[in-house]
């Protein structure tokens, strides 16, 4: 069984640019959550997707947006990148029937904004 | 209040020792408390989780103790091994929200 996968592994962008990060959820999982983890800190919740709709959002500005596709995979888009957006972006998927409590994380995408 | 406070920030134990990591929360609506283990360059891995209706849960060498009245919970690692050296995060969530609120993390080093 394949776990949660994310792409790309890492990337470097310039301030003001836009970026799209991708996540494939684990088989049997239907909910996807995104988190931002700054160096040396715990992950911070960005938003969650269920049935292709946003199902909760943390304290992040609207330039952070997302999508979920019919196969439960997901994208995180960040517009107008700022230096503080440099972080590890984590995707987590949750199995059917767990109410999204059980969250299984992918390896993350390391984003560096210069 | 959504914050989860974790201590200590770092911990060094000898092989075979029992490191204990503590977390405290304020929001009484939290009803699910997982612990994650994260190695450098990897995503967090779910270790063990507990609900507030039980005071203790064991899975292998990992044990969660939960004190609902004190709003505290802790992770104990029995017979710790050098391979347990990692950063550990506690977290909490509530039914209505499903977002995980994480503690700040504890960097554990187990010396051979």
């Amino acid at each position: 069984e394949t776990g949660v996968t994310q792409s790309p592994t890492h990337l470097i962008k310039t301030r003001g640019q836009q970026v799209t990060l991708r996540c494939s959820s684990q088989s049997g999982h239907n909910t996807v959550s995104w988190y931002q983890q700054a160096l040396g800190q715990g992950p911070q919740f960005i938003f969650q997707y269920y049935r292709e709709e946003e199902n909760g959002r943390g304290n992040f500005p609207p330039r952070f947006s997302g999508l979920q596709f019919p196969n439960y995979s997901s994208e995180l888009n960040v517009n107008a990148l700022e230096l503080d957006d440099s972080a590890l972006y984590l995707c987590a998927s949750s199995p059917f029937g767990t109410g999204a409590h059980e969250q299984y994380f992918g390896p993350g995408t390391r984003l560096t904004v210069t | 209040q959504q914050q989860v406070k974790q201590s200590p920030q770092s911990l060094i134990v000898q092989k075979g020792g029992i490191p204990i990591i503590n977390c405290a929360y304020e929001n009484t609506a939290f009803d699910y408390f997982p612990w994650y283990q994260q190695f450098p360059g990897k995503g967090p891995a779910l270790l063990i989780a507990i609900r507030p209706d039980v005071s203790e849960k064991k899975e292998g060498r990992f044990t969660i103790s939960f004190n609902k009245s004190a709003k505290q919970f802790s992770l104990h690692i029995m017979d710790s091994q050098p391979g347990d050296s990692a950063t550990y995060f506690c977290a909490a969530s509530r039914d209505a929200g499903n977002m995980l609120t994480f503690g700040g993390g504890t960097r554990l080093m187990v010396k051979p």
Side-chain angles (χ1 to χ4, degrees):
Chain A
E1 181 180 299
T2 306
V4 179
T5 60
Q6 293 186 242
S7 63
T9 304
H10 53 266
L11 73 166
I12 301 173
K13 290 285 189 179
T14 303
R15 189 172 52 183
Q17 287 187 316
Q18 178 266 344
V19 69
T20 297
L21 311 181
R22 295 177 175 83
C23 170
S24 291
S25 60
Q26 194 166 328
S27 175
H29 292 199
N30 63 342
T31 303
V32 174
S33 305
W34 286 92
Y35 292 81
Q36 180 194 66
Q37 186 176 25
L39 202 59
Q41 297 183 21
Q44 297 288 317
F45 177 76
I46 302 174
F47 43 56
Q48 182 181 89
Y49 277 83
Y50 173 68
R51 291 184 176 180
E52 302 177 47
E53 298 277 340
E54 187 178 289
N55 182 44
R57 187 179 186 93
N59 189 26
F60 281 80
R63 59 189 185 85
F64 285 79
S65 64
L67 286 172
Q68 186 181 32
F69 300 99
N71 66 353
Y72 308 117
S73 66
S74 178
E75 285 183 356
L76 164 66
N77 299 289
V78 187
N79 293 321
L81 284 167
E82 301 177 359
L83 297 178
D84 284 349
D85 295 334
S86 295
L88 181 67
Y89 287 85
L90 296 162
C91 166
S93 68
S94 302
F96 288 91
T98 64
H101 276 309
E102 291 182 21
Q103 297 189 20
Y104 297 88
F105 285 83
T109 294
R110 171 72 62 187
L111 172 65
T112 302
V113 182
T114 62
Chain B
Q1 176 59 269
Q2 295 292 316
Q3 198 172 23
V4 176
K5 295 183 179 180
Q6 184 171 344
S7 63
Q9 285 186 305
S10 63
L11 188 54
I12 301 173
V13 299
Q14 292 294 133
K15 178 183 173 182
I18 305 176
I20 301 173
I21 304 170
N22 301 297
C23 284
Y25 64 97
E26 291 294 327
N27 189 344
T28 55
F30 285 145
D31 66 351
Y32 177 77
F33 302 88
W35 284 89
Y36 284 84
Q37 177 191 57
Q38 186 175 29
F39 292 104
K42 304 291 185 183
L46 179 61
L47 272 178
I48 184 173
I50 197 168
R51 296 269 190 177
D53 53 344
V54 297
S55 60
E56 186 176 277
K57 183 176 181 180
K58 292 183 181 181
E59 284 187 7
R61 295 185 295 109
F62 300 96
T63 298
I64 300 180
S65 297
F66 188 86
N67 186 329
K68 187 175 180 178
S69 61
K71 292 185 285 186
Q72 295 176 350
F73 57 110
S74 60
L75 176 70
H76 302 228
I77 305 175
M78 306 302 176
D79 186 29
S80 59
Q81 302 296 313
D84 296 328
S85 298
T87 300
Y88 292 81
F89 292 96
C90 63
S93 68
R94 56 188 177 91
D95 251 352
N98 296 326
M99 60 172 273
L100 287 170
T101 299
F102 282 84
T106 296
R107 182 174 289 186
L108 171 67
M109 179 185 294
V110 180
K111 291 189 169 182

